[in-house]
Amino acid sequence: MSTLTATAETPRTESTRPAYRVTGRRVLSSEWAKLWSLRSTWITLGLGLLFLVVFGLIAAARYRSMVGTPRMAPDFARATAVSLSLFGTNFAQLALGVLGVLVTAGEYSTGLIRSTLAAVPRRLPVLWSKAAVFGLVALVVGTLGAFVAFQFGSGIVSGTPAAMGLTHAGVVRSLLGAGLYLGLVGVIGTALGALLRSVAGGISVLVAGLMLIPGLTALLPSSWQDDISPYLPSHAGQALFALTQDSTTLSPLAGLLVLLGWTALALAGAAYRLVRSDA
């Protein structure tokens, strides 16, 4: 008599591991965590805030010490509490722009970008998330620094022709404009880092675009200066937070549109290279 051996069929057990999907919220959360895990983030943001506040206070104190004396230059004599308090914007933009370059180009330097793109194969959400996260951080830091600098700077110049308060026409708009300008500079830095994939290259182009090229336009004929200078990123940004405008500068709205155009151009170039080139 043969014995039939019944082989017990092993029951199939479904994996208890949850299925993760790449979503915009998760990519944003990842980039947020990566940004604050870097020591350079805290240091550079601190420097940007310090530059914005300290240089504004130094300008206000210098104005206070020279007001009513023959040593004061005519241009300096026309300064206001807003222009004095925002004197440090030119220095803060470098700190925030450089950090923006580091946010993207730093991953290419360390090779971390390969892991990032392996986790997010569609690639472009990585760029949008990095730009959005750092742009928001730079916007908050810039706006906070502008209001703090004005609050203390207006106290220093109180009782002088430059004295102003938050209730004066255009003051709040100028301070918010300074924060928005610094936020967009941070986004441009992020885009340049992704476009050039080099920390040194990104910083060089950033400094040239914000400081070197505007200075070189002074060598051009006057008619060319009037046609070119207002549309440079830094001059468009200054129109955004300037309290008053003249015939040679753009209006705040026009300055914002020009600056947004430069930002979109940098992001478009970074997106094209990210999609077309290997990491």
Side-chain angles (χ1 to χ4, degrees):
M1 182 177 178
S2 60
T3 305
L4 299 177
T5 305
T7 304
E9 184 178 353
T10 305
R12 295 181 180 179
T13 57
E14 294 185 1
S15 175
T16 58
R17 184 178 180 182
Y20 289 102
R21 294 190 308 110
V22 177
T23 64
R25 182 179 62 83
R26 286 172 175 163
V27 177
L28 283 169
S29 177
S30 173
E31 294 303 328
W32 178 269
K34 283 194 290 185
L35 176 66
W36 294 110
S37 66
L38 300 174
R39 186 182 303 173
S40 59
T41 298
W42 298 91
I43 295 174
T44 314
L45 286 178
L47 287 175
L49 187 60
L50 185 68
F51 289 159
L52 187 55
V53 174
V54 171
F55 281 102
L57 297 184
I58 291 175
R62 184 167 179 266
Y63 175 89
R64 179 79 188 196
S65 66
M66 297 177 64
V67 67
T69 65
R71 295 179 300 155
M72 180 175 287
D75 290 341
F76 199 45
R78 293 191 293 269
T80 64
V82 171
S83 62
L84 293 170
S85 300
L86 297 181
F87 181 78
T89 305
N90 290 333
F91 303 94
Q93 70 180 354
L94 291 181
L96 296 177
V98 166
L99 182 56
V101 173
L102 291 174
V103 166
T104 47
E107 288 201 24
Y108 284 94
S109 301
T110 61
L112 179 62
I113 191 66
R114 297 185 181 91
S115 300
T116 300
L117 297 182
V120 189
R122 293 178 60 188
R123 296 192 174 193
L124 285 182
V126 174
L127 177 62
W128 308 144
S129 297
K130 286 181 181 295
V133 167
F134 183 66
L136 177 61
V137 171
L139 171 65
V140 172
V141 171
T143 304
L144 175 63
F147 275 90
V148 170
F150 178 79
Q151 194 65 28
F152 287 100
S154 60
I156 294 175
V157 299
S158 177
T160 68
M164 280 185 171
L166 284 174
T167 57
H168 280 73
V171 170
V172 173
R173 190 267 305 162
S174 295
L175 299 179
L176 292 176
L180 181 57
Y181 170 63
L182 293 175
L184 290 175
V185 167
V187 174
I188 291 174
T190 304
L192 289 177
L195 174 63
L196 301 175
R197 302 184 177 184
S198 165
V199 174
I203 293 175
S204 298
V205 172
L206 180 75
V207 173
L210 294 180
M211 302 190 72
L212 182 60
I213 294 177
L216 291 176
T217 57
L219 303 176
L220 298 175
S222 299
S223 59
W224 289 22
Q225 291 182 38
D226 296 339
D227 294 335
I228 296 175
S229 182
Y231 299 96
L232 297 176
S234 57
H235 289 171
Q238 290 173 8
L240 182 59
F241 60 82
L243 193 61
T244 58
Q245 284 76 32
D246 54 35
S247 59
T248 62
T249 60
L250 301 175
S251 66
L253 179 58
L256 174 60
L257 293 177
V258 169
L259 192 58
L260 287 174
W262 282 108
T263 306
L265 181 63
L267 284 172
Y272 180 83
R273 187 171 187 191
L274 185 62
V275 171
R276 295 291 182 177
S277 303
D278 294 332

